[in-house]
Each structure stands twice: as structure tokens, then as C-alpha cells.
Amino acid sequence: MALYACDEDDYIYAASAEPAKEYWCIECFGTVKVRRGKDRFPHFYHTQASPRCRLYSKSEDHLVAQLQLQNLFPPGELRIEQPFLPINRVADLCWEKEKLIFEIQCSKLEVPEAESRIRDYRTAGYNVVWLLDDRLYNRKNLRPSEEFLREHISYFFHLKHSKYYDQFEIFADNKRVKKGKPLYINLQRPIPMRPPDSDLLPKQIQRRVQNTSKYFLGDRIDRAFQPPFALILENWRVLEIHLAKKYKKPSRWVLWLNRHLLQPYLNLLNRIAVWMD
Ligand SMILES: [Zn+2]
């Protein structure tokens, strides 16, 4: 479902669309019509299945999240479902003034798709800010793309309370083995990235600094630049080192030794003990 569609010569918002009239999807150009209901806001639906269209697979929660974010900003500041024809993309929300794209993720995402979306928007001159629905993301088990996205500008959101937050966290063995409390952020306050003063920063800060050109007031990077948080950062740096050791997998050489020497030796000892009984 989508909030905008193409009319003969313009984009039209679902609330202004005529019932039963056929419009065109701004992404796949399939036929769409408007749907209105007592308990739902107006949106366009595809009259035929179009599984490859990203707007087709958007859930109602996705549209709600788009509108919630737009409402945080002054009217006209964020444009919903902004088409980028040269790269064949439709951005969830575009903040033209800051050259930022907000991509809302309420469904699973593969790493190659995340990479190509970041790359495509970069060629168009925009940076992507990922907003991950915490009913699907920020769980104990990591989703495949989550580790990748968290090294870029990405935050979690809580749809019901319309809250956007970052957090300190440590991943190991495809799991989130440690996370800090939510750090609520102000999405209206992007700050240009600058090189950090210290080399002794947690890896999660170093990686994100390399991958992004902006951060937001209140997020992990913002904390890293503030002297009162030095002790907290040091704590996370030490935790990262400690947990990396704890979850480190044995090398192939150690596994080989274990399999071909240690285990046969233990089996032999076991047999001798049984024989001597
Ligand atoms: Zn479509």
C-alpha cells in the first residue's frame, strides 16, 4: 500500500483521490485504487499482485510510521514517498534541506539490498537514515542485515509511542549479547560528523564514524563527543574486548588438534579405565 500515486500529470495524495478511479503506482506503475475505511486512513492498493514492488509490500504500520515521522517536523519539511527516477527508487521520506532519506524498516531486509539502497542514494547526493521497527529488530537474535545497518546511521523506533532511540550494544555469534538502555534521539537535529579526539573508543563508535557523515543529537556518537560520558565509553570498550574473548570461536588448528589428538587420547584413556574395571 502507498500514500501517493500518479495521476495523469501529477502525484496525488490518497486522501484527495477519487473513489473507484484508477491511478498508477509511483514505483512499479501498476494500477492502484484508493481505499478508505472507518478505522483506517486512506491509502492506495494495487489492483493486481505486484510482489516486486516495494510499495506493494508496505504494511499499514509502515505507512503509520511514515506519517508519525512526518508529523514530528514542521509542515512541508519532509516529503513522503519521494520518487528518484534516475536511480529508480522511491524514498520513504526525504529531507531535502539536509539531503537525508529516512528509510523505515518494518520487514526483513537482505544485506545486498541495504548496501545498494545506500549506494544508490549516495549517487543521488543523499545519505540514508535507517529506522528499524523494534518489534522485529533489536531482539536477542540478530537479523542478517542488522549488524550491517547498525554500523551505518540507523536507529530503532517504537511505533506505539512514536519514540526513536539508539543504544550501546555488543554482537557476538549472531546474537546481541549486551545492550544498554535506550538513548532517545532528536531526529530534527542532525550534526555533521567530525573526527573523534580519541583513538580509544568502542569499536561500535569507530565503525559508525567511518560509515556516516552525520549523527543526531542524543545518539551514541553524540555521547562519544561529550566529556561526561568518557567513563561510560571506556566501560563499553572494555566490555567489547572481554565479550569478544568470551565468544571467540577456537581456531581451525585448535579444532583439528582437538579432533585428531585430544579426543582419541581421551577415548583411549576411557577404554583403559573400563578395561581395568
Ligand atoms: Zn507498485
Side-chain angles (χ1 to χ4, degrees):
M1 42 175 81
L3 292 169
Y4 284 86
C6 293
D7 202 355
E8 275 82 14
D9 51 5
D10 203 2
Y11 295 118
I12 184 150
Y13 186 52
S16 318
E18 292 174 36
K21 183 178 170 183
E22 289 189 338
Y23 297 91
W24 297 278
C25 170
I26 54 178
E27 177 153 320
C28 70
F29 300 105
T31 319
V32 294
K33 285 183 178 176
V34 73
R35 181 186 280 141
R36 292 189 179 92
K38 195 159 58 105
D39 300 320
R40 14 184 18 183
F41 51 83
H43 61 268
F44 289 104
Y45 69 94
H46 290 66
T47 55
Q48 288 180 332
S50 180
R52 294 178 74 177
C53 171
R54 204 178 150 247
L55 296 185
Y56 174 77
S57 56
K58 265 189 192 177
S59 63
E60 190 160 351
D61 283 347
H62 193 129
L63 302 191
V64 171
Q66 281 177 270
L67 290 168
Q68 273 182 356
L69 183 58
Q70 191 186 41
N71 289 338
L72 278 185
F73 286 72
E77 192 88 355
L78 292 193
R79 170 82 198 262
I80 285 188
E81 289 170 7
Q82 166 86 50
F84 285 83
L85 295 177
I87 56 169
N88 198 24
R89 298 259 177 211
V90 177
D92 280 343
L93 297 116
C94 175
W95 192 1
E96 186 57 42
K97 197 172 79 184
E98 293 289 339
K99 292 283 178 192
L100 289 174
I101 301 294
F102 290 106
E103 285 288 275
I104 288 166
Q105 210 55 47
C106 299
S107 56
K108 61 183 184 177
L109 177 76
E110 301 301 325
V111 175
E113 169 59 17
E115 284 174 327
S116 65
R117 236 185 270 178
I118 290 172
R119 199 172 44 240
D120 288 352
Y121 283 118
R122 211 166 268 166
T123 32
Y126 294 77
N127 282 301
V128 180
V129 181
W130 299 88
L131 299 173
L132 312 175
D133 186 339
D134 69 1
R135 291 170 303 172
L136 186 67
Y137 296 89
N138 201 9
R139 310 275 98 195
K140 179 101 179 158
N141 287 326
L142 282 179
R143 301 206 70 83
S145 56
E146 196 167 356
E147 198 163 352
F148 170 80
L149 290 176
R150 293 293 289 148
E151 290 182 358
H152 292 75
I153 328 178
S154 67
Y155 305 109
F156 299 108
F157 71 91
H158 190 74
L159 187 68
K160 200 171 162 193
H161 299 117
S162 190
K163 294 271 189 198
Y164 305 87
Y165 62 96
D166 197 6
Q167 70 192 15
F168 285 96
E169 63 199 351
I170 296 170
F171 305 145
D173 210 11
N174 296 322
K175 295 210 165 32
R176 177 175 273 105
V177 293
K178 180 89 186 158
K179 71 175 175 183
K181 60 179 186 186
L183 307 170
Y184 294 107
I185 54 168
N186 185 344
L187 286 174
Q188 294 184 64
R189 293 282 305 278
I191 305 166
M193 189 66 79
R194 58 187 164 91
D197 309 326
S198 164
D199 295 332
L200 296 176
L201 288 170
K203 281 206 162 55
Q204 55 191 297
I205 298 288
Q206 293 178 22
R207 291 193 190 117
R208 192 182 273 187
V209 166
Q210 284 167 7
N211 286 331
T212 58
S213 59
K214 280 180 185 167
Y215 59 97
F216 286 82
L217 191 73
D219 74 2
R220 281 187 290 186
I221 305 290
D222 188 35
R223 311 276 160 150
F225 285 131
Q226 294 180 32
F229 290 96
L231 203 59
I232 293 171
L233 288 175
E234 178 60 12
N235 185 33
W236 278 99
R237 193 176 75 86
V238 172
L239 267 176
E240 281 180 353
I241 296 166
H242 168 69
L243 290 174
K245 278 186 194 158
K246 185 179 166 186
Y247 286 92
K248 190 180 177 192
K249 286 193 178 144
S251 68
R252 286 170 68 183
W253 171 237
V254 172
L255 288 173
W256 186 91
L257 272 182
N258 186 46
R259 189 170 163 194
H260 295 285
L261 289 176
L262 185 63
Q263 280 306 326
Y265 177 64
L266 290 175
N267 289 344
L268 180 67
L269 284 183
N270 199 26
R271 276 191 201 173
I272 292 170
V274 171
W275 178 71
M276 287 181 76
D277 257 355

